[in-house]
Amino acid sequence: PVRSVIPRQRIGRCVGSGWYDHEQAYVRTTDTPARPVRGREAMSASAIVSRPAMITPQPSARKELATFLGLTFGVSAGLYWLILSSGGLAQGQRYIPALMWTPGVSALATRMVLHHNVRDLGWRWPATRWVALSYFVPLVYATAAYAVVWLTGLGDLSLARFRDNALLFVVVGSLLSVFMSAGEEIGWRGFLVPVLARTMLLGRTACVSGGIWVAWHAPLILFGDYSNGLPKWYALGCFTIMTLSV
């Protein structure tokens, strides 16, 4: 006779009906009624019964990426049109918060649709040293870049905004920047980078995620005024180098 053990999904119906409990396991054979087994055989049967009958398949990285990028670029296309048709970033600034939160909302939607949760989007506080570096490193390279521009006379420093209330400007500006950029960080770093890292090495993950980030900004650089008056090719080139290097 061939021995078979009750699948895990039947345990809930079997408890209390004589099929399985924690004191003794029952094994069914193909030609005999259920019989109690004890000792080493019961331990073996219990171990087999306790194994999951099946593992819920996880969505592939390709499916997650297709869903996320489709939502992000699809919704962003409509917001690009609204901003450009308004005359540019200054005239269409009411649409900018929605645009910057598009990657974050798309990431949340993708997680809910494919995983039915919003975990694993970078909610956990990392090691303090990385948080400190995330503040320190941008200050270093930004200061170096601006110092070169100011010292060579390519640009000047305007303190007009600080004449009224510098503290209010810094505090309110920082809070607004955190809120606005959170949408992009949830999407690009919280969702996109971990999904890419499942199938790519670190260097390629950085290049691909940076390239996607550049492509998302490109419409406003090429067709809008996100280039700050610079030649389009130059602005896009500088933005690409900055994004891939950072």
Side-chain angles (χ1 to χ4, degrees):
V2 179
R3 188 175 69 175
S4 62
V5 179
I6 308 165
R8 181 180 178 87
Q9 62 265 30
R10 293 188 57 183
I11 292 177
R13 298 196 298 271
C14 297
V15 172
S17 62
W19 278 104
Y20 178 84
D21 58 37
H22 293 289
E23 301 298 329
Q24 64 177 356
Y26 285 83
V27 178
R28 165 176 291 189
T29 59
T30 55
D31 61 348
T32 60
R35 60 181 178 82
V37 292
R38 294 179 177 83
R40 192 171 293 179
E41 187 179 8
M43 293 175 63
S44 176
S46 177
I48 297 173
V49 170
S50 63
R51 295 174 187 168
M54 61 180 296
I55 300 176
T56 303
Q58 295 297 316
S60 66
R62 181 176 297 181
K63 185 175 182 180
E64 291 182 82
L65 288 173
T67 304
F68 169 71
L69 295 177
L71 288 173
T72 299
F73 281 87
V75 175
S76 297
L79 293 170
Y80 293 148
W81 181 84
L82 290 173
I83 293 172
L84 296 175
S85 62
S86 299
L89 294 173
Q91 296 80 3
Q93 60 183 345
R94 61 183 178 276
Y95 304 114
I96 294 177
L99 178 64
M100 294 184 68
W101 264 93
T102 298
V105 173
S106 298
L108 294 171
T110 301
R111 287 290 309 184
M112 286 301 300
V113 170
L114 299 181
H115 297 274
H116 308 293
N117 63 67
V118 292
R119 296 193 298 268
D120 301 326
L121 287 177
W123 307 120
R124 296 180 181 178
W125 185 264
T128 304
R129 65 180 182 276
W130 300 120
V131 177
L133 283 173
S134 70
Y135 283 93
F136 179 72
V137 172
L139 287 175
V140 171
Y141 69 70
T143 300
Y146 280 107
V148 171
V149 172
W150 294 332
L151 293 175
T152 57
L154 295 175
D156 58 356
L157 174 63
S158 176
L159 300 177
R161 294 185 178 183
F162 292 92
R163 291 175 181 172
D164 296 330
N165 194 327
L167 180 61
L168 180 63
F169 174 79
V170 172
V171 172
V172 175
S174 298
L175 291 176
L176 287 175
S177 296
V178 168
F179 170 74
M180 299 275 280
S181 60
E184 289 198 50
E185 293 303 315
I186 292 171
W188 304 135
R189 252 66 63 187
F191 181 86
L192 179 61
V193 169
V195 172
L196 290 175
R198 281 161 40 191
T199 59
M200 301 177 184
L201 296 177
L202 177 61
R204 188 177 179 186
T205 296
C207 291
V208 172
S209 62
I212 292 173
W213 197 20
V214 171
W216 185 73
H217 285 86
L220 294 181
I221 296 176
L222 297 176
F223 307 108
D225 52 352
Y226 197 47
S227 58
N228 293 321
L230 296 171
K232 305 294 185 180
W233 63 270
Y234 182 78
L236 184 61
C238 290
F239 187 84
T240 301
I241 293 173
M242 178 194 71
T243 303
L244 294 180
S245 61
V246 174

